[in-house]
Each structure stands twice: as structure tokens, then as C-alpha cells.
Amino acid sequence: MFHALARALSWLALQALPLHCLVCSEPGADGLDLCRACHAALPWNDHACPVCALPLPENEPAVCCGACLIDPPLQAAAAATFVYAPPVDQLILRFKFHQDLAAGRLLSQLMLRRVPAFLTEPLLPMPLHRKRLRKRGYDQALELTRPLAREMCLPLWQGLVRQRATAAQSELGAEARQRNMRDAFAVRSAPPKALTLVDDVMTTGATLQAAVHSLHSHGLRRATLWVCARTP
Ligand SMILES: [Zn+2]
Ligand SMILES: [Zn+2]
């Protein structure tokens, strides 16, 4: 209740403020809390593997990357709006760890400017463990996904839960990440046949893979991923 009220109040406060660039504090432009110069410098991830969203060198064709050819991931397709690089990395950190909901709103608005072509399915915000939710006060993937679902007229599906508090993925190596994710999710209701999982950052993709794995064993046929930023 308190969190819902706090969120509603901060949303109202955001609506009342004039637009200002969250990166450099100049006036915002084009309906965004971002100035034209900072907008022009955004690290869009427009040249990437269509399966895992890994950014690819400009001189290589944007086709399935070597890693996906050798060991195909569980998802059918993936898109990341940005490469995880300045200033997007700072915006994500502010949104995730410093209660900066304006940064989250800006990231959602920017994600809507590069809607992946595969997007026709219900959206699943990557769930947060309730312990972490209690500590943070809001669920960043849900905050990011809600405006996307609203704008795209797509339903939200939230039948997946984190059943085990896992160590922060950012503190672990690749192998430890996979171990960390085993049995991390539980499926609470039958998923639709197809879903798009939404998250803020994709690093190795181990968390998303673990989620898709759990959903597949409950009848999900086709998973696609849409993340705000992908680490190179
Ligand atoms: Zn700026
Ligand atoms: Zn790939």
C-alpha cells in the first residue's frame, strides 16, 4: 500500500516537472527527459545477433552470432535497445539502486522507439525476489515493462516467481551464475504458448535462460527477450 502510494506520488511529481536532461541537466527535448545532444550520443544496439542481441562489429553482417550457432539459446529471438555503455549504464544504475524513477521512465520511453519486430506476445517482467523487492521498494523490471505493455496494448503475464533469493549476478563469474540460477524460479500458473521476457540488463543471459527453462517445462513454446541494455 505504502509503495503504491509512494509510486503514485512520485509519478505525479514527475508529470509536474519541466523536462530536463537526466544526463547533463540541460532542458529536455521531444517529450523526453533527455536533451538532443545526449539523445544523439545514445549507444543504440542496432547491429546485433537476432537470437541473443549481442552487439556485433559494424563490418560483420547482423546474423546469428557464432556462440548462438554453436550452442543455440532457448529463446527464438532477442532484442536489446542499447549496448550497456554510457550514459545508459548510469541511467540503469540510478533507476535500479537509487530510486530514480524518472530514469526508469526515460528508459521505457526510449525502448518504445525501437520496438522489436517480433513483439506480439504477452510481456513477462523478470520477477524480483520478494526480499529484494522489500529492500528496494519497487520492482525495476515491472516498472520498465508496465509502460511498454500499455503503449503496445499487450497483456502482462506474471505467473513466474523467484523462489530463492540468489546472489547478485553482477558479483559472480559465468559458471557461478549458472549454478546460482538453478531452481531460482517457480511457475505459479500455466503460461501462454508464447511470451516476451523483459528485463533491464542482459549480461550472459543465464538468468533469462533459467526463467525460459522453467517456463518451457510448463508448456511455454516460444520465448523472446526484450531488454533495455546488453553488455558487449
Ligand atoms: Zn543532455
Ligand atoms: Zn547470438
Side-chain angles (χ1 to χ4, degrees):
M1 178 61 203
F2 171 75
H3 289 139
L5 185 64
R7 198 171 56 228
L9 286 174
S10 53
W11 184 83
L12 275 176
L14 285 177
Q15 302 308 305
L17 291 171
L19 297 172
H20 86 286
C21 180
L22 296 179
V23 180
C24 74
S25 302
E26 289 289 310
D30 305 320
L32 297 173
D33 277 322
L34 195 68
C35 73
R36 291 222 165 89
C38 291
H39 190 280
L42 287 172
W44 299 102
N45 186 33
D46 287 338
H47 195 75
C49 168
V51 182
C52 73
L54 188 78
L56 296 171
E58 287 295 335
N59 58 357
E60 282 177 23
V63 293
C64 188
C65 76
C68 288
L69 278 177
I70 294 164
D71 186 12
L74 298 171
Q75 74 271 7
T81 309
F82 297 109
V83 177
Y84 190 74
V88 170
D89 53 357
Q90 287 308 314
L91 290 171
I92 288 177
L93 290 176
R94 278 160 59 179
F95 172 45
K96 209 163 167 169
F97 300 113
H98 302 283
Q99 313 277 322
D100 191 342
L101 293 175
R105 185 180 68 157
L106 173 63
L107 293 169
S108 291
Q109 288 170 321
L110 293 169
M111 285 175 81
L112 283 166
R113 300 200 170 185
R114 291 286 199 287
V115 175
F118 57 71
L119 202 76
T120 53
E121 290 133 12
L123 302 181
L124 162 62
M126 278 295 284
L128 193 67
H129 193 270
R130 60 193 149 72
K131 261 191 206 155
R132 203 164 287 165
L133 178 61
R134 218 176 298 136
K135 204 167 137 197
R136 196 171 293 170
Y138 59 98
D139 177 337
Q140 84 277 0
L142 179 60
E143 294 297 327
L144 209 56
T145 311
R146 238 193 236 120
L148 305 179
R150 201 170 46 229
E151 286 296 318
M152 302 301 301
C153 298
L154 290 170
L156 278 184
W157 184 82
Q158 290 184 270
L160 186 74
V161 291
R162 282 246 164 136
Q163 61 179 356
R164 201 160 54 77
T166 46
Q169 288 289 87
S170 51
E171 291 159 16
L172 303 170
E175 215 174 294
R177 275 172 198 235
Q178 266 182 359
R179 248 197 331 269
N180 186 37
M181 290 323 299
R182 215 171 285 154
D183 308 319
F185 296 97
V187 181
R188 290 277 183 259
S189 59
K193 291 280 167 275
L195 274 172
T196 296
L197 285 73
V198 181
D199 207 356
D200 50 359
V201 182
M202 177 171 171
T203 305
T204 63
T207 317
L208 288 154
Q209 290 292 304
V212 174
H213 183 78
S214 303
L215 290 161
H216 272 170
S217 59
H218 285 78
L220 178 77
R221 297 238 182 93
R222 180 185 150 89
T224 48
L225 314 178
W226 186 16
V227 298
C228 182
R230 177 77 156 96
T231 53

